């Protein structure tokens, strides 16, 4: 689907549908947009008849839709035009799709943006296939037009996503083009900026979803690395380095090697550097952020083998790595002003004859030793090395994303990521960026008293905590040992990395969770200013 913007009185003539946002309210649902303009022959109501809405069960709550079909008999009685006349409506093309956006007062701030994403997604699903359709931006809302247009484009593009690589036979038809329409012609330029940004971010999110959805034996560590080598080869601001097993051994990444040992597929480690053409400066230097993503291309559990059902979705275990690299993909395209280093350890976790055994001790990049008591707690082993590498680069901050623990799903469910860190300001910035992006996370503590949960009898630490107790915290606690004094935030995305239903703008399968948070964070000027600290701060 192509997405563009236009003024509502200059819409293409060939629209199959126009989506009109509708507020809920005490007097019944009322249109929020574009009511006074000529919409290429569409019948767009200024006022909705409350009784009619009631019969339809349409209240205007977020994401609800009603479609007036343009052909065939009149489908509704409502007041039209300036709101004076009441009568049967026999609309000409295009169809009108009423889409609920909830209470007018709620269409503001971060929540308002998420409402628009959901409303755009609901509209796309209601419209179905066709050449082109329009979505009218609501009027008189306390949100910048560019941000609204971005949200609509992103919600629509994400809702249009399908993973079809392995489907034979005919592909279902889809909508070819969506026009985000503004009430006033002067808003078209900011709307176009928002649409461009939203569409570009959605492209990177789609790639992350594709990678998560790809079958694990077709996305091995080397193929994963190759894909980004090829994709980034011609991007002047990006350099990609791929470490093979030999280099990984030479660099003493004992955690990655320990996890990879049971697999016939050799591991890789991808390091991407983003150096902006137009860098921003904060207090005389360019902010530098390191991103780290867990890239287990398949997690069988290793010798601590998972159950059959526990393994079903474990191709998802590289979602952190995908999110990190796809965020860099978007940041380069958007021209972010910060310097970014992305590090993704990539390996399978398999139970081969050479596999690491419970009781084995691994020596990691920074020299610390980890006793492996459960080979299924492998994410923290590969992240230990990657975080240590990131810390060596002395960035202003490190943010890691990982499908790390089932316990995070128990605690927060499928929609919310667990958020940890060693720096309150950074954690607050990550949380706020996720909120703006529609990717919620919730902070969990790292109490020093729980450090004893990962005390080992033989090594510096063990890779499991206490059975049934704060499993996500124990994992994050181990990660903290590898970041030194660098401000660090960790998102445990085990829940939101995939969706088990088609809901909002998500499809079943990979969600690309984290891409939007990272793009929002790393294009935020406030974040850039907060992350560059003076000595002693
Ligand atoms: N990749 C899993 C975590 C996971 C579980 C992600 C479910 C998404 C859904 C991770 O490697 C793992 O297996 N963690 C173990 C740790 C335990 C052995 C200490 C877990 O959560 O059970
Ligand atoms: Mn595991
Ligand atoms: Zn895992």
């Amino acid at each position: 689907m192509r997405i563009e913007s236009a003024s509502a009185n200059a819409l293409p003539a060939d629209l199959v549908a126009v989506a009109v946002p509708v507020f809920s309210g005490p007097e019944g649902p009322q249109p929020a947009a574009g009511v006074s303009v000529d919409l290429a022959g569409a019948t767009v109501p200024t006022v909705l008849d409350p009784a009619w809405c009631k019969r339809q069960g349409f209240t205007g709550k977020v994401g609800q839709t009603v479609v007036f079909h343009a052909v065939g008999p009149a489908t509704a009685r409502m007041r039209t035009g300036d709101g004076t006349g009441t009568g049967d409506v026999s609309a000409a093309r295009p169809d009108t799709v009423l889409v609920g956006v909830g209470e007018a007062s709620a269409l503001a701030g971060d929540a308002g943006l998420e409402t628009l994403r959901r409303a755009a997604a609901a509209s796309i699903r209601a419209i179905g296939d066709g050449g082109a359709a329009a979505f009218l931006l609501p009027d008189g809302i306390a949100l910048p037009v560019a941000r609204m247009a971005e949200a609509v484009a992103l919600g629509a593009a994400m809702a249009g996503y399908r993973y079809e690589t392995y489907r034979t036979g005919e592909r279902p038809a889809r909508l070819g083009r969506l026009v985000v329409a503004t009430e006033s012609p002067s808003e078209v330029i900011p709307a176009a900026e928002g649409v461009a940004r939203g569409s570009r971010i959605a492209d990177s999110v789609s790639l992350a979803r594709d990678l998560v959805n790809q079958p694990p034996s077709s996305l091995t560590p080397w193929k994963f690395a190759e894909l980004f080598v090829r994709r980034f080869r011609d991007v002047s601001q990006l350099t990609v380095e791929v470490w093979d097993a030999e280099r990984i051994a030479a660099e003493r990444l004992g955690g990655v090697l320990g996890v990879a040992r049971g697999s016939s597929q050799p591991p890789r480690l991808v390091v991407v550097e983003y150096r902006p053409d137009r860098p921003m400066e904060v207090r005389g230097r360019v902010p530098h952020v390191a991103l780290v993503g867990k890239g287990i291309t398949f997690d069988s559990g290793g010798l601590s083998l998972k159950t059959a059902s526990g393994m079903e979705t474990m191709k998802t275990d590289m979602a952190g790595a995908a999110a990190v690299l796809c965020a860099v993909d978007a940041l380069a395209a958007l021209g972010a002003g910060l310097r970014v280093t992305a590090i993704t350890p990539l390996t399978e976790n398999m139970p081969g004859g050479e596999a690491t055994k419970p009781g084995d001790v691994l020596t990691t990049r920074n020299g610390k030793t980890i006793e492996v008591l459960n080979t299924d707690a492998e994410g923290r082993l590969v992240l230990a090395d990657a975080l240590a590498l990131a810390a060596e680069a002395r960035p202003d901050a490190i943010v890691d994303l990982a499908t790390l623990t089932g316990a995070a799903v128990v605690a927060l469910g499928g929609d919310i990521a667990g958020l940890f860190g060693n720096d309150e300001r950074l954690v607050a910035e990550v949380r706020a960026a996720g909120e703006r992006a529609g990717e919620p996370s919730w902070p969990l503590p790292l109490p020093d008293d729980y450090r004893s949960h990962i005390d080992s009898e033989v090594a510096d630490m063990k890779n499991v905590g206490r059975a049934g107790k704060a499993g996500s915290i124990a994992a994050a606690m181990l990660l903290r040992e590898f970041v030194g004094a660098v401000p660090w935030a960790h998102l445990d995305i085990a829940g939101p990395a995939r969706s088990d239903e088609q809901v909002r703008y998500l499809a079943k399968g990979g969600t690309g969770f984290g891409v939007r948070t990272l793009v929002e964070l790393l294009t935020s000027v406030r974040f850039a200013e907060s992350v560059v600290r003076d000595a002693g701060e």
Side-chain angles (χ1 to χ4, degrees):
M1 179 172 42
R2 211 148 46 84
I3 308 180
E4 54 202 50
S5 64
S7 164
N9 52 24
L11 288 175
D14 59 346
L15 297 177
V16 297
V18 175
V20 182
V22 174
F23 288 130
S24 64
E27 265 99 68
Q30 292 307 332
V35 291
S36 61
V37 289
D38 170 27
L39 288 163
T43 305
V44 175
T46 43
V47 180
L48 292 171
D49 177 4
W52 177 84
C53 290
K54 205 161 184 185
R55 284 198 301 281
Q56 301 289 317
F58 182 71
T59 61
K61 82 167 196 233
V62 179
Q64 225 184 13
T65 54
V66 192
V67 182
F68 296 113
H69 287 292
V71 285
T75 50
R77 280 176 69 83
M78 59 182 182
R79 284 178 283 165
T80 58
D82 58 5
T84 51
T86 303
D88 284 341
V89 177
S90 53
R93 302 224 73 153
D95 293 347
T96 300
V97 176
L98 302 180
V99 57
V101 290
E103 277 178 43
S105 58
L107 201 60
D110 298 343
L113 295 175
E114 177 63 8
T115 293
L116 288 174
R117 287 182 206 106
R118 294 180 185 193
S123 306
I124 291 300
R125 298 199 201 285
I127 291 167
D129 61 337
F135 184 101
L136 305 188
L137 283 184
D139 292 330
I141 302 303
L143 281 167
V145 168
R147 288 299 275 179
M148 289 200 284
E150 177 188 338
V152 168
L154 207 126
M158 283 189 68
Y161 172 87
R162 289 183 205 139
Y163 184 68
E164 294 178 320
T165 311
Y166 292 89
R167 285 214 191 279
T168 62
E170 224 169 292
R171 302 261 155 100
R174 352 148 132 237
L175 185 64
R177 191 153 63 103
L178 181 72
V179 182
V180 179
T182 66
E183 171 82 356
S184 129
S186 68
E187 292 166 343
V188 174
I189 287 173
E193 281 168 15
V195 164
R197 181 178 154 99
S199 307
R200 187 57 191 79
I201 295 170
D203 286 346
S204 294
V205 174
S206 293
L207 176 59
R209 295 165 91 179
D210 279 347
L211 294 175
V212 168
N213 291 334
Q214 196 167 326
S217 294
S218 100
L219 190 66
T220 55
W222 78 265
K223 283 198 183 170
F224 191 118
E226 259 314 292
L227 190 143
F228 283 97
V229 167
R230 262 183 279 120
R231 188 173 176 94
F232 292 163
R233 190 154 43 202
D234 299 323
V235 185
S236 65
Q237 305 173 98
L238 296 174
T239 54
V240 186
E241 206 176 279
V242 179
W243 293 3
D244 61 8
E246 217 169 76
R247 177 80 189 270
I248 288 170
E251 299 281 355
R252 303 181 318 281
L253 307 189
V256 178
L257 288 173
V259 175
R261 269 167 53 180
S263 171
S264 60
Q265 296 292 331
R268 293 287 188 271
L269 184 122
V270 174
V271 184
V272 178
E273 286 286 349
Y274 170 65
R275 289 174 192 276
D277 285 339
R278 280 168 297 140
M280 71 181 296
E281 280 198 9
V282 177
R283 274 166 270 173
R285 60 189 189 78
V286 183
H288 178 205
V289 176
L291 304 177
V292 172
K294 172 180 173 182
I296 302 297
T297 58
F298 184 71
D299 182 10
S300 74
L303 287 174
S304 312
L305 199 63
K306 288 182 183 292
T307 60
S309 68
M311 244 181 259
E312 269 178 27
T313 59
M314 280 304 134
K315 65 176 181 179
T316 310
D317 218 18
M318 33 53 71
V324 159
L325 293 178
C326 291
V328 170
D329 179 69
L331 288 165
L334 297 173
L338 299 79
R339 187 181 148 208
V340 181
T341 303
I343 303 177
T344 61
L346 303 165
T347 176
E348 293 185 338
N349 184 27
M350 296 288 281
E354 301 280 310
T356 292
K357 305 164 189 77
D360 280 346
V361 173
L362 306 175
T363 303
T364 62
R365 170 75 182 186
N366 73 359
K368 291 189 184 180
T369 55
I370 307 176
E371 183 188 13
V372 179
L373 289 180
N374 189 318
T375 64
D376 197 12
E378 84 297 340
R380 61 201 80 180
L381 302 175
V382 303
L383 290 171
D385 286 331
L387 289 169
L389 271 178
E392 282 173 33
R394 302 246 161 272
D396 295 303
I398 300 174
V399 181
D400 83 72
L401 275 74
T403 47
L404 202 59
T405 64
V409 193
V410 174
L412 297 167
D415 290 346
I416 304 169
L419 173 57
F420 300 84
N422 61 1
D423 182 277
E424 269 184 41
R425 265 161 77 187
L426 177 63
V427 165
E429 288 291 342
V430 171
R431 170 124 189 269
E435 212 55 49
R436 294 196 296 277
E439 293 182 331
S441 62
W442 196 260
L444 289 166
L446 289 174
D448 287 328
D449 284 346
Y450 284 16
R451 174 58 179 77
S452 59
H453 290 207
I454 58 170
D455 284 352
S456 162
E457 281 170 28
V458 299
D460 295 336
M461 65 201 91
K462 58 181 177 177
N463 77 330
V464 292
R466 298 185 185 167
K469 289 191 170 155
S472 304
I473 294 175
M477 210 106 200
L478 185 146
L479 301 187
R480 187 174 65 174
E481 298 282 321
F482 295 87
V483 295
V486 182
W488 156 76
H490 156 61
L491 282 168
D492 191 332
I493 60 169
R498 67 181 299 116
S499 175
D500 26 68
E501 49 179 340
Q502 186 187 92
V503 62
R504 306 187 288 273
Y505 38 79
L506 302 177
K508 267 191 191 183
T511 59
F513 189 99
V515 175
R516 294 184 285 139
T517 298
L518 291 176
V519 171
E520 189 62 40
L521 182 73
L522 298 181
T523 56
S524 151
V525 173
R526 193 186 68 188
F527 166 69
E529 283 168 355
S530 83
V531 84
V532 174
R533 311 276 171 88
D534 295 327
E537 209 187 330

